[in-house]
Amino acid sequence: MAGVLVDSNVLLDVLTEDPLWLEWSSSALARTAETEVLIINPLIYAEVSVRFERIEELDAAFPVSLFRRDGLPWEAGFLAEKCFRAYRRRGGTRRSPLPDFYVGAHAAIRGHALLTRDGARYRTYSPALELIAP
């Protein structure tokens, strides 16, 4: 495994102390950090930034010493659109899930596992992707 991309839903569960998901997300994050490199990308960074007023606070919460920051691979953009198109063809009604598909495509293209609590969507549209999910 080339590291683990951490989905924003896991990070937001921990930040917000989500009553339903805090235990699973914090445990999975801690276990994964023991043996793997944790990775975030610009989309994940943007999604978790909603909880912060200043960029310095965000950077302190997700220091580069704990979270490697990877750019988005160009190939992932292509794959993300194909997954989004399949989603719409299957009757998906959300107009803007493309960032979620881009996160999954990033992990798939780079050979990362994905730590997420949204395993169902990724299993459907990226079945070869290695997931750490409930």
Side-chain angles (χ1 to χ4, degrees):
M1 190 179 333
V4 176
L5 194 62
V6 182
D7 202 351
S8 58
N9 57 35
V10 171
L11 299 173
L12 288 169
D13 290 344
V14 175
L15 288 171
T16 63
E17 298 182 356
D18 183 276
L20 197 59
W21 288 103
L22 175 62
E23 185 176 334
W24 184 87
S25 292
S26 60
S27 296
L29 188 61
R31 277 192 317 274
T32 303
E34 289 176 5
T35 60
E36 302 296 336
V37 174
L38 300 177
I39 303 166
I40 59 174
N41 67 29
L43 291 171
I44 295 162
Y45 185 86
E47 289 175 335
V48 298
S49 74
V50 71
R51 301 295 302 169
F52 300 89
E53 291 299 318
R54 298 176 50 241
I55 195 169
E56 295 83 4
E57 296 167 347
L58 174 60
D59 287 343
F62 301 100
V64 294
S65 60
L66 297 177
F67 292 88
R68 188 174 86 201
R69 296 178 182 191
D70 278 6
L72 293 165
W74 287 97
E75 303 86 351
F78 183 83
L79 181 56
E81 190 285 325
K82 299 307 174 208
C83 292
F84 178 67
R85 184 183 304 175
Y87 165 80
R88 295 291 291 173
R89 284 186 180 151
R90 289 183 175 180
T93 57
R94 287 183 54 205
R95 290 271 190 215
S96 300
L98 191 55
D100 293 339
F101 291 119
Y102 213 141
V103 167
H106 176 184
I109 293 293
R110 291 290 189 244
H112 303 317
L114 179 63
L115 174 58
T116 183
R117 65 168 159 81
D118 191 13
R121 180 181 306 140
Y122 291 109
R123 284 183 188 103
T124 300
Y125 297 101
S126 300
L129 183 59
E130 182 180 348
L131 297 177
I132 302 169

